[in-house]
Amino acid sequence: MSNTKIRNMDEFAAMSGISRPTLSKYFNDPTSVRSSTRQRIESALADVDYRPNMYAINQNRRMTNNIGIVVPYLADPFFAEIARVMEQHVIDAGFRPVLLGSHGLPSQEIENLDNLRLVKPAGVLLAPLGRTSELDRIADFCADVPTVFFDANIEPLGEAFSGSDNMQSIGLIVDYLCRTGEPPVFFEMKTPSNPNAYKRRNAYVAAMERLGQEPHLVQVEGEGWDFENIGFTGAQAVLSSRGLPSNTLLCSNDRLAIGLLAAAYQLGFRVGQGEGCALRVAGHDDHPFSRYTCPALTTVSQDYSAIATRAAEVLFGIIESGHRPDQKLESHFEGRLIMRGSA
């Protein structure tokens, strides 16, 4: 054995050239990897001073190796895609995923966490409802189980957060819309469910003021997670009044924009760029359906894979070390402008 000291599995993965999920599978059960891979790992172990935290691994075994993945609404393809990526990372790391949806209901969110307690998870990846969440109950859960938040953050709960940089992404699309046409108004729910909506509202105001433009908020009524219907109903009233200060609408999320596009079509407003178009419409998220609207929706993408991967990797590191971080770890990923026909 050399004098090379390896402090954790990430360093050992970098040194050996073997992926961290494969190493996790080996340390959980050496027979779970191919014999050639097992030989490579054991040869690398012989060359360095590294042994995994067996207390943490044994603790995981006593806790059945379950990892919970909880999202607000499994019927939403946005959350389904992030959950799919997380689920695969969990499986690759040798754990068992337990995937649960909260149906947009605070009571169901808490029931999901209570049910996870029964299976003694090694950790949980949680996208909380946000504004309507029962914060005291979630805080109690986080005190007992290592929890990493994704998509929506609840300060100061949890060990870490992984999500989008809303200030950057909204600023990016506001810049684009102002360069290419009339400055946008911001189309949103008056009382949104997801805390990201408030961050995007503030980011829109900041971006407009930075560009010397006057911000305008168009706030529609609605509760819950039926965003397409809320966008459709709200847009019908707004467009019928014909009182908009701009022909460009930036929606807080793509699902609201999808409802708005349907309302515009029904009312005879042509959406897009160029002669004969009455409106420009843009959204945020690059929802899986946004490329199939008519016209296809201009938006800002969230990096689904990076958000899911970072959240999972941070949780695996906490489980492996057996220690929770002294400070909450936060990762914010920049969005990418997706230009399509609607704006």
Side-chain angles (χ1 to χ4, degrees):
M1 179 182 294
S2 74
N3 292 326
T4 304
K5 178 67 176 177
I6 301 295
R7 294 173 297 178
N8 53 49
M9 201 178 298
D10 286 329
E11 290 188 3
F12 185 57
M15 183 281 300
S16 64
I18 301 167
S19 72
R20 194 183 185 290
T22 299
L23 292 174
S24 293
K25 289 180 71 174
Y26 169 83
F27 288 123
N28 275 291
D29 178 8
T31 64
S32 66
V33 301
R34 289 180 295 184
S35 59
S36 58
T37 303
R38 186 162 64 250
Q39 291 172 5
R40 285 181 61 202
I41 294 171
E42 291 170 355
S43 175
L45 284 171
D47 291 338
V48 297
D49 180 11
Y50 172 67
R51 288 294 177 269
N53 186 329
M54 296 310 297
Y55 169 78
I57 292 174
N58 289 332
Q59 182 74 359
N60 293 339
R61 287 177 176 158
R62 288 198 297 273
M63 299 178 81
T64 68
N65 262 7
N66 293 316
I67 288 184
I69 304 171
V70 183
V71 300
Y73 201 65
L74 269 173
D76 185 335
F78 169 77
F79 288 113
E81 176 62 17
I82 289 184
R84 183 193 66 80
V85 177
M86 287 182 167
E87 186 176 40
Q88 191 59 57
H89 282 300
V90 169
I91 293 169
D92 289 345
F95 294 95
R96 288 195 295 266
V98 181
L99 179 58
L100 300 168
S102 299
H103 307 291
L105 301 173
S107 59
Q108 184 63 51
E109 183 173 63
I110 296 305
E111 184 173 340
N112 287 338
L113 297 181
D114 287 343
N115 287 336
L116 283 172
R117 286 181 187 272
L118 300 178
V119 299
K120 298 181 179 179
V124 167
L125 297 161
L126 172 62
L129 295 177
R131 182 179 64 85
T132 58
S133 292
E134 297 183 32
L135 300 186
D136 290 344
R137 299 285 297 278
I138 293 179
D140 289 342
F141 182 85
C142 291
D144 295 335
V145 179
T147 303
V148 171
F149 288 89
F150 65 96
D151 181 61
N153 200 5
I154 297 180
E155 293 288 359
L157 304 182
E159 319 304 324
F161 168 74
S162 178
S164 290
D165 183 342
N166 288 295
M167 189 65 70
Q168 178 271 339
S169 59
I170 290 291
L172 184 66
I173 198 162
V174 169
D175 283 347
Y176 167 74
L177 294 172
C178 288
R179 285 198 317 270
T180 56
E182 293 185 13
V185 300
F186 194 66
F187 185 86
E188 63 169 352
M189 293 167 62
K190 187 175 182 179
T191 53
S193 304
N194 192 307
N196 279 327
Y198 293 101
K199 294 178 180 179
R200 292 174 188 176
R201 175 192 299 169
N202 294 336
Y204 162 78
V205 172
M208 291 288 282
E209 291 178 344
R210 172 174 53 81
L211 295 171
Q213 302 289 344
E214 183 179 357
H216 293 281
L217 303 178
V218 176
Q219 300 180 323
V220 298
E221 300 294 337
E223 294 284 342
W225 290 78
D226 190 8
F227 297 148
E228 291 86 358
N229 183 56
I230 292 169
F232 177 78
T233 304
Q236 280 188 316
V238 169
L239 296 177
S240 296
S241 71
R242 298 181 181 271
L244 287 171
S246 170
N247 70 359
T248 304
L249 295 99
L250 171 59
C251 299
S252 179
N253 64 61
D254 285 351
R255 291 181 60 195
L256 285 174
I258 289 170
L260 192 157
L261 287 173
Y265 176 80
Q266 189 174 87
L267 293 172
F269 288 87
R270 185 176 176 184
V271 176
Q273 306 178 74
E275 187 176 349
C277 293
L279 295 173
R280 295 193 305 158
V281 177
H284 189 290
D285 291 339
D286 196 22
H287 187 281
F289 292 168
S290 63
R291 70 194 64 188
Y292 303 116
T293 59
C294 188
L297 184 64
T298 290
T299 185
V300 181
S301 69
Q302 292 201 57
D303 194 335
Y304 294 39
S305 180
I307 291 169
T309 299
R310 180 65 57 83
E313 288 179 346
V314 169
L315 183 61
F316 298 155
I318 292 168
I319 294 168
E320 177 201 342
S321 69
H323 300 289
R324 301 196 186 194
D326 294 331
Q327 293 183 325
K328 187 170 182 175
L329 308 173
E330 296 198 8
S331 300
H332 298 269
F333 295 91
E334 292 189 349
R336 182 169 59 91
L337 181 65
I338 308 293
M339 292 175 289
R340 300 191 179 111
S342 70

